[in-house]
Amino acid sequence: MFVLKEAWATISHHRGRSTLAALTIVIVSMASLTGLSILKAENTATTTSYDSQDVTAVLKVNRENVKKENAGKTVDWSKYALGWEDYITYAQAAGVQFSADYNESADVAGTGDFKVVSGNSGTSTDGKAADGRGTLSVVGFSSPASAKDAANGAFTIVSGKAVNYSETSAGNTVLVSQALATKNGLKVGDTITVADVKTPTTTHALKISGIYKNTETKASSSADAANPENAIYTSYYTFMSMGLDSETAPGTAGHELNMVFGFSTPKDFNTFTKNIRKAGLSKNYDVVSSSLKAYDAAVAPLSELASWTRYGLIGLSALGCLVLLACGVLTLRHRQQEIGMLMTVGLGKVRISWRFIVEMLIIVIPSLAVGLGGGYALNLLVSRWIPAHEIVRATADGSVWKTLTLAALGLCGVCIVAAIARITVFRKRTLLMKREEATA
């Protein structure tokens, strides 16, 4: 008890340095807990969570490569359309387990006074008429998974409900875009009539079950049917019942087939990409995963934050060490007369060292407790606002607490060693030296 009273009296006497040391420990420990939680979350997001996610992928024409390859020539894009035979070849070369969904699109024409969202009224990007194109396109999806990787990009339903993509009978229910519905005054439950492009007398009545909105802006400067706002979404069975799968073949104007491959891990996706390249898929095609792109985009801000956090922790820890070192050196340096007097009255170095250790630990331990407690509360508060929190939460787990515990024990150990070392190297003869010549 006497040692505690004397230690507290000494701390009170050096109130400024003691307060500075305590605040430094509190601030560094709070920042460390939150910072390490962010770094842990970023590591989890880029390793464990990344490696365990499901991946979808499609094969798309790399238009830039094709244009370079055909520099100065008019590109016949139908030659680059993939058909069932191509997809079967690549599926056989996959080398990994996968699921396969698909969507197929073909042009149709509006009937009566049906209005479409302009896509340059049937004029292609090179100024030539888009022969054989309709004014609308019908896209048949084999499953909800294939609808997520629509060629026109992601979409959300703003009214009504989605069609049953897995139906095995023709429901003739469809989704139309919000822009198309607005242009024609359509609502859920209305029926629209479309006609075949080759045989306009063949018509199909389609009931609107929902209205969707494209989440990406892809306005077309080509044919009206190529404008994403003029796309009518339905099940693949309805698409077939309309005869659109056989009226033309993939590669003909307005007819496109897309296969959506599903993998259980990014590693399988990378293996698939490597194997189909070996099987003959040229550089004119990209293997694109919208799910991986979306994941990377969501995690990118967290990675950037983690990078700044890493530098910040290093800088703050270094500054904290310098402040504590300065406080310790100043405290011990100006107490050599006190040490000498204690030795003169008969106190041994062990008891004096113990007194100095208690003084340091009285500052360090409560400061660590306050800092870590405050850091935990701060971490819970800010974790919900940290980027990619819907993927991984930046909360302190066992590994973070283990690191902080080791750091706290290390700090206490340094204090103990510093106190013992200071008393051990002290010599009584330094009391007889001039103050400016004394070494401590």
Side-chain angles (χ1 to χ4, degrees):
M1 184 62 69
F2 175 77
V3 174
L4 289 176
K5 288 182 178 180
E6 288 297 311
W8 181 251
T10 302
I11 292 172
S12 300
H13 181 69
H14 301 286
R15 188 173 303 168
R17 286 195 292 268
S18 299
T19 302
L20 178 60
L23 285 176
T24 300
I25 294 172
V26 169
I27 293 172
V28 172
S29 56
M30 285 183 66
S32 296
L33 191 148
T34 301
L36 289 175
S37 298
I38 293 174
L39 296 179
K40 176 64 177 179
E42 191 268 343
N43 181 68
T44 301
T46 55
T47 54
T48 306
S49 296
Y50 180 88
D51 293 336
S52 62
Q53 65 176 309
D54 293 332
V55 180
T56 58
V58 295
L59 309 184
K60 291 187 175 181
V61 177
N62 187 317
R63 301 182 74 86
E64 294 301 318
N65 282 356
V66 173
K67 288 178 180 179
K68 289 180 181 178
E69 188 179 85
N70 295 273
K73 302 177 183 178
T74 300
V75 179
D76 182 2
W77 294 105
S78 64
K79 293 181 179 180
Y80 297 91
L82 297 174
W84 287 107
E85 296 79 5
D86 301 305
Y87 283 115
I88 291 173
T89 298
Y90 299 137
Q92 291 174 339
V96 294
Q97 290 187 337
F98 64 90
S99 62
D101 299 284
Y102 47 88
N103 58 74
E104 193 169 354
S105 62
D107 287 0
V108 294
T111 59
D113 57 355
F114 193 89
K115 302 179 183 68
V116 298
V117 181
S118 178
N120 206 27
S121 300
T123 305
S124 61
T125 54
D126 59 7
K128 296 182 179 180
D131 294 334
R133 297 301 304 266
T135 54
L136 300 165
S137 68
V138 175
V139 184
F141 297 105
S142 67
S143 68
S146 65
K148 290 182 180 179
D149 272 292
N152 292 329
F155 62 91
T156 57
I157 297 185
V158 295
S159 179
K161 61 180 182 180
V163 300
N164 180 11
Y165 298 117
S166 302
E167 64 185 2
T168 56
S169 60
N172 282 9
T173 55
V174 298
L175 302 176
V176 298
S177 74
Q178 191 175 46
L180 194 63
T182 301
K183 201 169 187 74
N184 292 276
L186 300 173
K187 61 182 184 299
V188 174
D190 288 348
T191 298
I192 59 174
T193 302
V194 298
D196 291 350
V197 175
K198 285 190 173 181
T199 55
T201 55
T202 302
T203 60
H204 309 277
L206 305 172
K207 185 176 182 179
I208 300 174
S209 68
I211 297 173
Y212 71 88
K213 181 179 180 180
N214 290 306
T215 57
E216 302 175 35
T217 303
K218 292 186 177 181
S220 173
S221 60
S222 186
D224 286 335
N227 190 327
E229 302 295 349
N230 293 326
I232 299 172
Y233 294 154
T234 188
S235 68
Y236 191 76
Y237 200 97
T238 295
F239 181 87
M240 288 193 303
S241 71
M242 296 170 66
L244 299 178
D245 63 320
S246 58
E247 184 179 22
T248 57
T252 56
H255 196 149
E256 184 178 352
L257 173 65
N258 294 293
M259 186 75 72
V260 181
F261 297 93
F263 307 95
S264 58
T265 65
K267 182 180 179 181
D268 287 348
F269 164 74
N270 292 331
T271 301
F272 170 78
T273 301
K274 181 179 179 181
N275 288 342
I276 64 174
R277 290 294 185 195
K278 291 181 179 179
L281 184 68
S282 75
K283 296 298 182 180
N284 288 330
Y285 299 88
D286 293 328
V287 186
V288 180
S289 173
S290 59
S291 60
L292 282 182
K293 282 186 175 181
Y295 186 92
D296 291 340
V299 171
L302 176 60
S303 297
E304 184 176 359
L305 176 62
S307 179
W308 285 105
T309 299
R310 189 174 290 107
Y311 292 124
L313 283 179
I314 293 173
L316 184 62
S317 298
L319 180 61
C321 288
L322 290 176
V323 172
L324 293 177
L325 179 62
C327 290
V329 169
L330 289 174
T331 299
L332 295 175
R333 183 181 178 87
H334 292 87
R335 297 180 67 183
Q336 54 186 352
Q337 287 188 342
E338 178 187 349
I339 297 172
M341 291 299 296
L342 291 173
M343 287 184 175
T344 301
V345 299
L347 289 181
K349 290 185 176 182
V350 174
R351 291 191 64 182
I352 299 173
S353 298
W354 173 240
R355 177 175 172 176
F356 276 59
I357 290 172
V358 171
E359 290 177 12
M360 291 185 176
L361 294 183
I362 286 177
I363 296 174
V364 171
I365 293 178
S367 299
L368 283 172
V370 172
L372 294 178
Y376 180 73
L378 177 64
N379 180 241
L380 292 178
L381 180 65
V382 303
S383 62
R384 69 188 64 180
W385 305 109
I386 290 176
H389 64 273
E390 68 280 357
I391 295 176
V392 59
R393 294 297 296 272
T395 52
D397 61 2
S399 62
V400 171
W401 284 110
K402 180 181 178 180
T403 301
L404 291 172
T405 300
L406 292 175
L409 291 175
L411 178 59
C412 293
V414 169
C415 292
I416 293 171
V417 171
I420 294 174
R422 181 65 184 87
I423 305 304
T424 301
V425 301
F426 182 82
R427 297 292 181 268
K428 291 182 180 180
R429 64 174 177 270
T430 59
L431 295 175
L432 304 177
M433 299 172 62
K434 293 182 180 180
R435 187 176 183 85
E436 61 271 15
E437 296 176 351
T439 59

